[in-house]
Amino acid sequence: MKHHVHDLMSRKVVTLFEEATIPLADELLNLRRIRHLPVVDDPGRLVGLVTHRDILRAQASCVGESGSGPGGPTYEISVREIM
């Protein structure tokens, strides 16, 4: 049995604006149980991809900095900076 790409692809793609923060991206990934998020600009053009691994790296780079919770370092970093 042959499979075609359209049989396997997702039609309702979840995207994220490039100004979104790391915690929002992390929440979306966890809620949707996905590992990659396409990042779009204001007109909706694809500008990049942010992955679960990108987010983990950004969070790890903030370890040891004070205030890693709400209002802490990762809340100020946009996905544009880590994709």
Side-chain angles (χ1 to χ4, degrees):
M1 180 175 170
K2 285 187 175 182
H3 289 284
H4 298 281
V5 172
H6 70 273
D7 294 329
L8 303 172
M9 69 182 194
S10 297
R11 296 187 191 281
K12 294 182 181 180
V13 178
V14 177
T15 61
L16 193 64
F17 284 109
E18 57 187 339
E19 296 85 16
T21 60
I22 290 173
L24 176 60
D26 190 38
E27 186 176 340
L28 272 174
L29 289 171
N30 289 326
L31 285 173
R32 296 294 186 141
R33 296 183 179 174
I34 54 178
R35 297 284 183 217
H36 304 83
L37 275 171
V39 180
V40 296
D41 62 9
D42 280 334
R45 294 180 302 227
L46 181 67
V47 294
L49 189 72
V50 69
T51 68
H52 184 250
R53 185 172 291 185
D54 294 332
I55 291 170
L56 290 177
R57 269 195 218 114
Q59 290 171 334
S61 72
C62 292
V63 171
E65 294 183 32
S66 62
S68 60
T74 60
Y75 275 76
E76 298 170 8
I77 301 171
S78 69
V79 296
R80 178 189 309 114
E81 298 175 57
I82 67 165
M83 65 179 179

